[in-house]
Amino acid sequence: MSGTGARRIRVRVEGLVQGVGFRPFVCGLAGAYGVSGFVGNDPGGVFIEAEGEPSTLDAFTAGLTGQAPPLALVERVSVEPAEPVGGSGFRIVASRRGEQPDGALVSPDAGTCAACLRELRDPGDRRHRYPFANCTDCGPRFTIVTGVPYDRCATTMTDFEMCAACAREYGDPGDRRFHAQPVCCPACGPSLRALGADGLPAAGDPVEVAAGWLEAGRVVAIKGLGGYHLAVLAADGAAVALLRARKRRESRPFAVLAPDAAAAGTLVHLEPAAERLLTGTSRPIVLAPRRRDAPVAGAVAPGARELGVMLPYTPLHHLLAERLAVPYVLTSGNLTDEPIAYRDEEALRRLAGVADGFLVHDRRIEAPADDSLVRVFRGRELVVRRSRGYAPAPVGVPWRFPRPVLACGAQLKNTFCVARGNQAFLSQHIGDLESYETLRSFAEGVEHFCRIFGVRPAVVAHDLHPEYLSTAYARDREDVDLIAVQHHHAHIASCLAEHGHGGPVIGVAFDGLGLGADGTLWGGELLVADLVSFRRAGHLEAVPMPGGAAAVRQPWRMAAAWLDRIHGDALPGLAVAGRHREQWPAVVRMARAGLNSPLTSSAGRLFDAVAAIAGVRDVIGYEGQAAAELEARVDPGERGAYPARLIEGEPLVIAAGDLVGAAAEDVAAGVDAGRVAARFHRGLAAAVVRAVRVVGEGTGLRTVALSGGVFQNTVLLEAVVSGLERERFRVLVHSRVPPGDGGIALGQAVVAAANDRR
């Protein structure tokens, strides 16, 4: 209530403040301080008018940041005076529409909270066993949003009219569902159905039906928050093999959903940081060391020392997990190389012949989102795939984007990025842009982000490679300025952006392949870089890739190229050559002649060669498989390291052939693959540290940024970081943004902006 000393203020709150219970929180805060006025959403965030005594208003505005809801991220609170109008009470007013979004953010989806779980399990609660229970603290957000400001009418929940009981909760300031936009119950909300492989309804409780199918060894398609999954019981080897055959996924590891953290602990060794990630609101898949006695079939994660585990993150997943009481595989609902299926009719068509039954619901998914994947490095998360639970939370940077930017990302593991102000919105994981379906998903995603974040791109950044579909998409955009960004420069820039560092730094970019500034294929680079430009200061020794793309699929070809470089016709008797004796001579001739054998300095291809020589992997079923399996074979007790020379020059060259030659000698001498893998990792790390030291001595730079998909390898990452720290370098590594190609778009965006500012 207004008094004689009362004053009135207008407040704007920007950040992640829509879809997180912020307006109800403001109402409660106002009531606690006896402040009158109102709060509402608009396309820029939250607007407030508040009236009360000056000291009370000061405490109220301080509380907007200090006491904000757990899912909120308050970035800015601005206050200006207004004329007092008197009155009493505080209310939520209608959202203001019709303006272009400028500051509003969209919340990522959040795992089911403890309060909703209690209701789910309470036979006396009206939401007992209801698969779509949610509140202001949890539930669907990004995957159902169609526009901003965030109101029910701007989500796919607009299809469901609230019943009287839900409406009372929605309008009650004392209820945790006060203005929870997806609020629903069995009387008015989405419903669940079980469908047979023919698409016809199956009789009985849908969760019971699906559980019965799984227990009978069948493959079940389950509609989740961001799309469909395929499920089988994790301990059922025959069912896992059946799923692999139907999904055409020969060897890539599957993720496993455990009923709770205790059950997850029977599958993997969980350090505290991993358990925090596993049980947090984002609920990603967490890669952790697999227990020897883990009750899962060997075919779930063949050749892997780690297992990807996750916990239920929707009421439906909780119901199914509690009914089964055992872990089950939960993998993307698609065929290999396709995007995740998320539209119902499309899912029934695309997954026909894969799934024996479907567990579906009628809440539309607006934005598909695969599960996120993380590892733990030194007690912090290392995001490998950033998607559900993380996207579209912005990456804030300390530099403003002069004009709105769209960055189109890479060809593999694609994400895109839209940016404005000082915020970059990195998309959910799209996938490999190698099919029409994935390209369509990419284009639809770009349009959705531009709409909800109010970005009309004036600058479009893309990779140098002219044959990437993301590059072709960029070049088809009209009325924009195009900026081509070299692949490895974008990698380093993404790491700089995550840390708010403008450079210059020594950047070490190790990955599979990227088109270099000289037209060759780079992938093992030392760059002196800032956000504007870079100089190639060093690289791994280059070698031919016999057969081009065939050498990526068949790592033994890289072994042939390296061994011919080292030994020529005096090749020692190695098993890898014997396994491919019929093709070996032709591949060697191809490499020598340079016929369809582009030169590459790729670290990924170097790992491939050593993996083949060590007998770990000759042919891959997915990108990066040989390197991942070589990492998994590392003997942690081995302290030896293969030596590698540094060849002076401009640029400096790391003699990677020394590492390959030493590995080949050990293999010929009968040294086991675990020791070979360890010595290779340690030797490569030591060579990188020595090379960085040389570049640092020449430039005076003492900060190093590590990026590229190879640095998802935590064995190599730890060895390089430890070595650089011993040399007293400051080391920047990724955490919230993937080091692989899933982070490229962020790097492209900040490079484009830096050049736009010039």
Side-chain angles (χ1 to χ4, degrees), residues 79-369:
V79 180
E80 63 180 34
E83 285 295 320
V85 297
S88 62
F90 200 94
R91 68 192 192 282
I92 293 177
V93 298
S95 296
R96 295 172 181 168
R97 301 183 179 276
E99 307 167 39
Q100 272 293 101
D102 185 38
L105 305 182
V106 176
S107 171
D109 303 273
T112 309
C113 70
C116 284
L117 274 180
R118 284 194 295 271
E119 293 174 343
L120 190 72
R121 294 164 177 160
D122 180 1
D125 193 278
R126 69 191 190 93
R127 291 187 176 87
H128 178 231
R129 294 184 56 77
Y130 182 55
F132 309 99
N134 68 84
C135 67
T136 54
D137 294 329
C138 69
R141 297 295 192 273
F142 168 61
T143 52
I144 63 170
V145 168
T146 59
V148 293
Y150 177 74
D151 284 313
R152 192 179 181 95
C153 62
T155 74
T156 60
M157 286 299 296
T158 192
D159 298 343
F160 305 94
E161 184 176 353
M162 274 188 276
C163 66
C166 285
R168 280 194 298 272
E169 293 171 330
Y170 183 88
D172 180 0
D175 195 287
R176 79 173 195 283
R177 292 190 170 93
F178 183 46
H179 275 254
Q181 304 308 328
V183 65
C184 58
C185 73
C188 65
S191 58
L192 193 65
R193 293 182 299 156
L195 306 177
D198 55 7
L200 297 177
D205 175 82
V207 172
E208 283 292 325
V209 170
W213 285 338
L214 290 169
E215 290 171 337
R218 297 179 183 176
V219 179
V220 180
I222 302 171
K223 185 178 180 182
L225 274 180
Y228 280 77
H229 290 94
L230 294 167
V232 293
L233 291 189
D236 189 336
V240 174
L242 181 65
L243 175 58
R244 286 204 177 278
R246 291 181 179 177
K247 189 175 163 69
R248 304 174 201 162
R249 183 166 165 175
E250 179 183 345
S251 51
R252 187 190 293 268
F254 288 138
V256 175
L257 186 146
D260 52 36
T266 68
L267 305 177
V268 295
H269 296 278
L270 285 175
E271 61 176 281
E275 186 166 355
R276 285 196 302 272
L277 290 169
L278 197 64
T279 58
T281 58
S282 296
R283 292 293 169 105
I285 301 168
V286 178
L287 285 170
R290 180 176 180 166
R291 290 188 178 275
R292 290 183 181 274
D293 58 349
V296 298
V300 168
R305 181 177 289 175
E306 294 180 314
L307 187 65
V309 294
M310 61 197 304
L311 297 185
Y313 55 87
T314 71
L316 174 57
H317 292 119
H318 279 282
L319 290 171
L320 190 58
E322 290 171 7
R323 162 60 180 80
L324 292 168
V326 293
Y328 58 94
V329 165
L330 201 65
T331 187
S332 302
N334 57 7
L335 298 179
T336 295
D337 298 330
E338 290 184 356
I340 189 171
Y342 71 101
R343 295 185 176 104
D344 297 333
E345 291 184 5
E346 183 182 35
L348 291 170
R349 173 179 57 80
R350 286 173 52 193
L351 300 180
V354 180
D356 298 305
F358 293 79
L359 191 57
V360 305
H361 59 77
D362 53 354
R363 184 178 64 207
R364 287 183 292 122
I365 296 171
E366 179 69 14

Side-chain angles (χ1 to χ4, degrees), residues 494-660:
S494 72
C495 187
L496 293 179
E498 182 173 350
H499 288 272
H501 194 299
V505 297
I506 302 169
V508 183
F510 276 16
D511 66 356
L513 293 170
L515 184 63
D518 60 0
T520 65
L521 297 176
W522 294 3
E525 310 307 310
L526 275 75
L527 310 179
V528 173
D530 57 21
L531 297 180
V532 174
S533 61
F534 72 93
R535 172 175 64 84
R536 194 186 196 196
H539 59 83
L540 294 177
E541 181 182 355
V543 69
M545 279 177 58
V552 178
R553 297 187 296 270
Q554 300 173 18
W556 71 266
R557 289 173 176 258
M558 294 306 304
W562 273 114
L563 291 171
D564 182 62
R565 164 77 60 85
I566 297 164
H567 295 287
D569 293 329
L571 179 70
L574 289 168
V576 65
R579 292 193 298 269
H580 304 281
R581 63 173 58 89
E582 293 183 2
Q583 295 175 276
W584 194 276
V587 167
V588 167
R589 287 195 299 271
M590 183 185 301
R592 290 178 180 177
L595 179 64
N596 191 24
S597 299
L599 285 175
T600 183
S601 57
S602 167
R605 303 292 78 80
L606 175 63
F607 272 81
D608 286 352
V610 175
I613 291 167
V616 172
R617 175 64 57 178
D618 283 4
V619 177
I620 65 169
Y622 61 91
E623 195 268 336
Q625 181 180 7
E629 293 184 358
L630 187 67
E631 178 192 3
R633 296 291 285 274
V634 167
D635 180 348
E638 174 60 48
R639 311 316 298 167
Y642 296 138
R645 294 167 293 130
L646 298 184
I647 303 171
E648 294 185 7
E650 185 59 42
L652 178 75
V653 175
I654 298 173
D658 293 354
L659 302 170
V660 178

Side-chain angles (χ1 to χ4, degrees), residues 373-579:
L373 177 65
V374 304
R375 301 183 85 165
V376 173
F377 177 68
R378 293 188 168 188
R380 297 177 60 202
E381 68 180 338
L382 172 61
V383 175
V384 176
R385 182 173 69 207
R386 186 180 185 271
S387 202
R388 178 196 50 77
Y390 290 80
V395 179
V397 296
W399 325 282
R400 290 192 67 80
F401 293 87
R403 294 185 290 167
V405 175
L406 163 65
C408 295
Q411 180 82 347
L412 301 180
K413 299 178 176 65
N414 177 270
T415 64
F416 60 84
C417 181
V418 299
R420 52 147 165 86
N422 68 334
Q423 294 173 325
F425 302 94
L426 192 61
S427 79
Q428 72 274 33
H429 171 78
I430 303 297
D432 297 348
L433 297 185
E434 295 183 332
S435 68
Y436 168 75
E437 290 82 4
T438 312
L439 181 62
R440 184 186 69 179
S441 181
F442 168 86
E444 290 175 349
V446 169
E447 295 309 308
H448 185 58
F449 265 57
C450 288
R451 181 173 68 253
I452 64 175
F453 294 120
V455 174
R456 181 175 294 175
V459 178
V460 175
H462 61 85
D463 195 272
L464 282 182
H465 203 300
E467 296 179 9
Y468 282 4
L469 292 182
S470 54
T471 300
Y473 175 89
R475 290 178 172 173
D476 284 342
R477 301 277 304 204
E478 297 180 350
D479 300 322
V480 296
D481 291 332
L482 295 177
I483 295 181
V485 182
Q486 199 279 324
H487 191 90
H488 301 95
H489 185 203
H491 269 309
I492 300 305
S494 72
C495 187
L496 293 179
E498 182 173 350
H499 288 272
H501 194 299
V505 297
I506 302 169
V508 183
F510 276 16
D511 66 356
L513 293 170
L515 184 63
D518 60 0
T520 65
L521 297 176
W522 294 3
E525 310 307 310
L526 275 75
L527 310 179
V528 173
D530 57 21
L531 297 180
V532 174
S533 61
F534 72 93
R535 172 175 64 84
R536 194 186 196 196
H539 59 83
L540 294 177
E541 181 182 355
V543 69
M545 279 177 58
V552 178
R553 297 187 296 270
Q554 300 173 18
W556 71 266
R557 289 173 176 258
M558 294 306 304
W562 273 114
L563 291 171
D564 182 62
R565 164 77 60 85
I566 297 164
H567 295 287
D569 293 329
L571 179 70
L574 289 168
V576 65
R579 292 193 298 269

Side-chain angles (χ1 to χ4, degrees), residues 55-72:
S55 60
T56 301
L57 289 180
D58 289 343
F60 169 76
T61 54
L64 294 174
T65 300
Q67 302 175 46
L71 297 182

